[in-house]
Amino acid sequence: MSAEKNIPVFPELTIQDIFNCQISSWYPKFSNISMKTTIIRPLPAAFREYLQADGVFPPIGSNDSEDGQEPDDDIENSSGSDESLLNNTFSFPDLDKTIRTVIEDYGAVFPKLNWSSPKDAQWILSTSEFLRCSSPADVYLSLKASDFIHHDLDPTSAFEGIRDPNPVYDLELALRKWYHFDRSREMRCFVRDRTLIGISQRDAVYYDFLFSSSMPETIMQTIQTFWERDIRDQYGSTSSYVVDVLLTRDFKRLHIVDFNPFIAKTDPLLFTYDELRTIFISSREPPFAPVVRIIDNPAHPYANVNAPRYQHNMVPLDALALSHGRNRPDFANALAEAVKEANSASA
C-alpha cells in the first residue's frame, strides 16, 4: 500500500516524450493506419512572426481569388480594417504553392502545427464543414484565429513541466486530408507504463447505439487488439502517452488520429487523472482490462446537447474588427467604449 501512495498522478516525462507526440515523429511510422498527411518543413522564417502578429488576416497572395490585389470580399472575410491590411507585409508565395498542390491532391485539408490543430477556429471559415480548408488563405486564417496553436509557438508552453531547460525545435505545418467522419466513433486512449488503462468517448454527446449491451466490450476489444498489435512496440521509447483513434463503421478496425503527452493539459475527457492513477494501480493485478467510459444518457453531466464546440473561443465579429490596428490595451479601451456607446443607445 505504501508503494502505491508513492505513485504520482502523472508519470515523469522527458523532452523526447514530447517530441514523440509531434506529428512528424509518429506519422511516418503509422502512415498506413492514419489519414493521409503532408508535413511541410522548414517553414519560412517569418511564419511564426505572422502567427504571432496582432489581428486576423491572410498573407498577401494566399487567397485563390486574388490577382495580385486584395479583393473586397477578402477584406470582409478576414474581418480586417484598411489599416491592418495596409500593414500586412506577410507573403509566402512558395508555401502558398505547396499548400495549393496538396489541396489539389487531397481535395481539402485539415491543418495543424507540430502538436496542435486550430479546432477552436471554425468560426473564421466560410464553410460549415468542420475545419475544411480549400485554399492557402483558409489554412492561414484558421491558424491565425486559433488560441490552441499558440501552445506550439512558445517552447515554455509546449514543454511545460519538462526539466530540459532549452528545447530547440522547428515549427512545422501538417496538412491532413479532410474527411467527413462520424465523431461518435472517435475514442481517446490512455497508456501508462506500456499499459492501456482507459478508453474514453471523444465527442461529449449522448449516442444511444454506443451504450448497447455489447458495444463497450466491442470497443475495448477492438482497441486493445489494435494497440497491442500495431502501436505498443512501434511507437518508440515513450511508455506513457494518450492516443486518439477513429473506429471504422463496423467497429472492427481503426485509424490513428493523433498522439498527445500524458500530462495535465491533455483533456482526460470522461476520466479524471486521479481516476486514471487508481486504474493504473489496479492494472498491476491480473486479470485487467482497460476501463471504457461512454456517455450513457442524455442527462450525463459531461453531455453537450446543443452547445457548439469550443464556444468559449468564439469571438463576435464586431469585437474582432475592433482589434485590428490596436495593441491589447488600446483594444480593451476601444471595446469598453463601444460597449458604453451601445448601452447608451439602448437606454
Side-chain angles (χ1 to χ4, degrees):
M1 181 65 69
S2 59
E4 293 178 356
K5 289 183 179 180
N6 293 330
I7 296 176
V9 174
F10 297 99
E12 183 174 347
L13 301 185
T14 67
I15 189 172
Q16 189 58 49
D17 294 328
I18 305 300
F19 277 129
N20 284 346
C21 293
Q22 188 173 238
I23 190 167
S24 61
S25 297
W26 65 260
Y27 178 74
K29 301 175 185 177
F30 301 111
S31 60
N32 63 320
I33 47 176
S34 184
M35 61 189 70
K36 291 182 179 180
T37 300
T38 297
I39 299 169
I40 304 172
R41 58 177 184 173
L43 294 171
F47 190 69
R48 186 189 297 262
E49 181 184 351
Y50 161 72
L51 292 178
Q52 293 175 322
D54 290 336
V56 180
F57 53 89
I60 296 168
S62 63
N63 196 304
D64 287 342
S65 65
E66 292 176 7
D67 294 312
Q69 300 293 327
E70 193 82 35
D72 291 342
D73 286 345
D74 292 329
I75 295 175
E76 180 179 352
N77 290 338
S78 64
S79 301
S81 65
D82 291 339
E83 182 180 354
S84 65
L85 289 170
L86 287 173
N87 292 333
N88 176 18
T89 60
F90 295 100
S91 179
F92 309 113
D94 291 339
L95 182 57
D96 293 346
K97 183 178 179 181
T98 301
I99 294 173
R100 287 189 175 101
T101 299
V102 176
I103 290 174
E104 184 178 353
D105 185 24
Y106 290 170
V109 297
F110 176 101
K112 71 172 295 178
L113 297 183
N114 304 49
W115 297 275
S116 306
S117 58
K119 293 181 179 179
D120 56 331
Q122 172 61 32
W123 58 271
I124 198 68
L125 299 176
S126 58
T127 177
S128 61
E129 297 175 301
F130 187 62
L131 281 187
R132 185 181 190 276
C133 296
S134 55
S135 72
D138 286 348
V139 171
Y140 296 133
L141 285 173
S142 65
L143 295 170
K144 196 79 171 69
S146 172
D147 289 333
F148 288 3
I149 63 95
H150 283 271
H151 163 274
D152 296 20
L153 304 180
D154 181 6
T156 61
S157 178
F159 295 90
E160 182 181 357
I162 304 301
R163 295 182 178 179
D164 189 296
N166 295 304
V168 177
Y169 65 98
D170 294 322
L171 204 60
E172 57 193 37
L173 173 63
L175 300 178
R176 318 202 71 185
K177 183 173 181 177
W178 188 90
Y179 297 92
H180 178 78
F181 63 83
D182 185 349
R183 296 196 73 241
S184 67
R185 294 183 274 109
E186 192 175 5
M187 301 289 158
R188 171 159 287 184
C189 310
F190 299 86
V191 177
R192 181 160 183 179
D193 197 17
R194 293 177 57 84
T195 301
L196 177 62
I197 59 173
I199 299 167
S200 173
Q201 179 180 331
R202 188 81 172 86
D203 192 22
V205 174
Y206 170 67
Y207 298 100
D208 55 359
F209 72 91
L210 283 181
F211 207 69
S212 66
S213 59
S214 61
M215 187 56 73
E217 179 70 16
T218 297
I219 291 171
M220 186 274 291
Q221 290 183 353
T222 297
I223 291 177
Q224 174 131 17
T225 299
F226 176 91
W227 175 76
E228 290 177 350
R229 184 189 65 211
D230 296 325
I231 298 180
R232 183 178 58 190
D233 297 329
Q234 286 74 37
Y235 181 58
S237 59
T238 298
S239 60
S240 299
Y241 52 88
V242 178
V243 56
D244 294 334
V245 300
L246 177 67
L247 291 153
T248 55
R249 292 183 180 88
D250 59 7
F251 288 86
K252 294 181 179 179
R253 296 175 295 112
L254 52 82
H255 304 283
I256 295 174
V257 176
D258 206 0
F259 285 90
N260 298 281
F262 198 112
I263 52 178
K265 60 187 173 185
T266 297
D267 192 342
L269 300 176
L270 302 183
F271 293 97
T272 67
Y273 278 108
D274 284 328
E275 289 174 328
L276 288 168
R277 174 186 177 276
T278 301
I279 296 168
F280 171 64
I281 292 171
S282 68
S283 72
R284 298 181 168 193
E285 297 293 332
F288 171 79
V291 176
V292 179
R293 292 273 174 91
I294 291 171
I295 292 178
D296 55 4
N297 67 79
H300 192 287
Y302 286 178
N304 292 328
V305 181
N306 294 314
R309 279 182 291 171
Y310 313 113
Q311 58 182 332
H312 54 287
N313 293 91
M314 295 181 179
V315 180
L317 289 178
D318 290 346
L320 185 64
L322 278 174
S323 74
H324 286 274
R326 294 183 170 95
N327 58 28
R328 290 183 181 180
D330 290 343
F331 167 63
N333 292 333
L335 183 59
E337 186 63 28
V339 171
K340 182 179 178 181
E341 291 178 2
N343 289 337
S344 298
S346 62

